[in-house]
Amino acid sequence: MSASAILKLQAAGFSTEQVTALAELIDSQAATKADLEAAKHELGAQIGGVKSELGARIDSVKSDLEAAKHELGGRIDSLEHSLGSKIDAVDHRLDMKIARLDGEFALVKWMLGFTLAFEVALFYKLFLH
């Protein structure tokens, strides 16, 4: 308690013992500037610890995300290569079938031409000769 507060209490009729007891009670219950500074320092240290821990966790999550990104990139590249190979195989089979059909179509054209020539010859022999 301040000296002026003690004098005011004594002037109001409090005894020295009552003022002393009240001052001790207030001193035991009240926080001093040093107490507040210590609490402030302790809270600052705790906040710094939380920030540090949070930063470490964020770095860990970033690292995990980068690893997952790299793994997914590898999987995508593998799938792309696999699909490219399968598409190339299908393309090759289609080219082979088209080539075979072109050959068969050429044969049909020759057969049709031969049949037409034979029929023209028969027609000529039967009707014009």
Side-chain angles (χ1 to χ4, degrees), residues 14-86:
F14 281 83
S15 68
T16 305
E17 292 84 22
Q18 289 175 328
V19 172
T20 305
L22 186 57
E24 288 175 359
L25 177 65
I26 290 174
D27 284 345
S28 68
Q29 299 297 316
T32 64
K33 287 183 179 181
D35 293 338
L36 292 176
E37 283 298 319
K40 180 180 173 184
H41 179 70
E42 184 180 335
L43 284 174
Q46 288 177 355
I47 289 171
V50 168
K51 282 182 179 179
S52 176
E53 184 179 337
L54 186 58
R57 287 185 181 182
I58 288 172
D59 290 343
S60 175
V61 168
K62 283 181 181 178
S63 175
D64 291 347
L65 286 175
E66 284 298 320
K69 178 182 171 184
H70 181 70
E71 181 182 343
L72 286 175
R75 286 183 180 181
I76 288 171
D77 290 343
S78 175
L79 286 173
E80 184 179 349
H81 178 71
S82 176
L83 287 175
S85 297
K86 288 179 181 180

